Amino acid sequence: MNENLFASFITPTVMGLPIVVTIIMFPSILFPSSERLITNRLHSFQHWLIKLIIKQMMLIHTPKGRTWTLMIVSLIMFIGSTNLLGLLPHTFTPTTQLSMNLSMAIPLWAGAVILGFRHKLKNSLAHFLPQGTPISLIPMLIIIETISLFIQPMALAVRLTANITAGHLLMHLIGGATLVLMNISPPTATITFIILLLLTVLEFAVALIQAYVFTLLVSLYLHDNT
């Protein structure tokens, strides 16, 4: 219980060198490609999952938007696998770092917005001023819509960071309380341990849901601009 509550969120180092790049690249090992005609169950499940993601995410897009299919599929699989690996004991979760989430959100959002201004300039500018707006409210609405546009990547990154960090902190607190209560009140420790197990199952769901929400919002931003 004397351990720093936020120690698990500190970037790990080996011999003074940060290894976060290695950790970020590790999930790609979990999705190997196969050149065999007959694949095993893991590859079959992987192909089924990719087809399901494409069907859910890219069905509403135009042919121009569907060129982002590989990016969208890679994004959801990377975030989902990273979140799940972060639930293992003594591991580091890169998606708890706001800087990393911003580094994913800002380029994707900027790419979608630039694509919209390039190919649908009139429609993109029309979002800043709804039809039928009174003349007196035009300057204020333009400012509000501009702020709401630029806050979109921040909302993406903060939502993912806050949900993953909150779950890890809650698991850390309940796990520490369980260890303390084992010597004081075993029945109470049993109850808190059951709560910890239920919370772990919930965090598995949250890890996948947050990956889906992040990717879905990026997909919607892309759809609005293509």
Side-chain angles (χ1 to χ4, degrees):
M1 293 298 291
N2 294 327
E3 182 184 358
N4 184 5
L5 186 61
F6 296 94
S8 59
F9 303 111
I10 299 175
T11 303
T13 58
V14 174
M15 300 178 64
L17 299 175
I19 58 172
V20 65
V21 176
T22 306
I23 296 174
I24 292 174
M25 294 175 61
F26 180 75
S28 61
I29 304 175
L30 302 179
F31 302 102
S33 59
S34 176
E35 298 179 355
R36 297 180 179 179
L37 181 61
I38 301 178
T39 59
N40 55 26
R41 294 181 181 179
L42 177 61
H43 288 106
S44 298
F45 175 76
Q46 179 179 332
H47 293 160
W48 172 82
L49 183 62
I50 291 174
K51 290 180 180 179
L52 180 64
I53 294 171
I54 294 174
K55 182 179 179 181
Q56 291 289 330
M57 296 287 183
M58 310 308 297
L59 188 62
I60 60 175
H61 287 278
T62 61
K64 189 180 297 296
R66 290 174 184 172
T67 59
W68 284 47
T69 300
L70 181 60
M71 177 70 72
I72 296 296
V73 173
S74 301
L75 180 66
I76 189 173
M77 296 183 73
F78 169 74
I79 298 177
S81 58
T82 303
N83 291 346
L84 291 176
L85 289 174
L87 294 175
L88 298 176
H90 305 290
T91 55
F92 173 73
T93 312
T95 47
T96 57
Q97 306 297 311
L98 182 60
S99 57
M100 176 182 166
N101 296 335
L102 282 173
S103 68
M104 292 191 296
I106 292 177
L108 293 170
W109 166 84
V113 172
I114 292 172
L115 195 64
F117 278 102
R118 181 179 178 183
H119 298 285
K120 297 174 60 177
L121 181 59
K122 292 183 179 180
N123 291 336
S124 298
L125 293 176
H127 288 296
F128 292 93
L129 190 62
Q131 187 177 5
T133 303
I135 298 178
S136 58
L137 295 179
I138 288 178
M140 183 181 298
L141 281 178
I142 291 177
I143 295 174
I144 293 175
E145 291 297 329
T146 303
I147 294 174
S148 66
L149 176 65
F150 282 96
I151 209 173
Q152 286 176 352
M154 180 64 71
L156 273 177
V158 170
R159 181 187 295 107
L160 179 60
T161 304
N163 282 281
I164 301 302
T165 303
H168 282 58
L169 286 176
L170 194 56
M171 291 177 64
H172 181 84
L173 290 172
I174 295 179
T178 303
L179 290 176
V180 173
L181 290 172
M182 286 180 63
N183 297 325
I184 300 175
S185 177
T188 306
T190 303
I191 296 175
T192 55
F193 180 71
I194 294 174
I195 295 175
L196 180 61
L197 290 179
L198 296 176
L199 181 62
T200 303
V201 175
L202 178 62
E203 283 303 308
F204 269 96
V206 169
L208 297 176
I209 291 173
Q210 289 304 314
Y212 176 77
V213 169
F214 188 98
T215 312
L216 179 62
L217 290 176
V218 171
S219 178
L220 291 177
Y221 295 156
L222 177 63
H223 177 259
D224 292 338
N225 290 281
T226 54

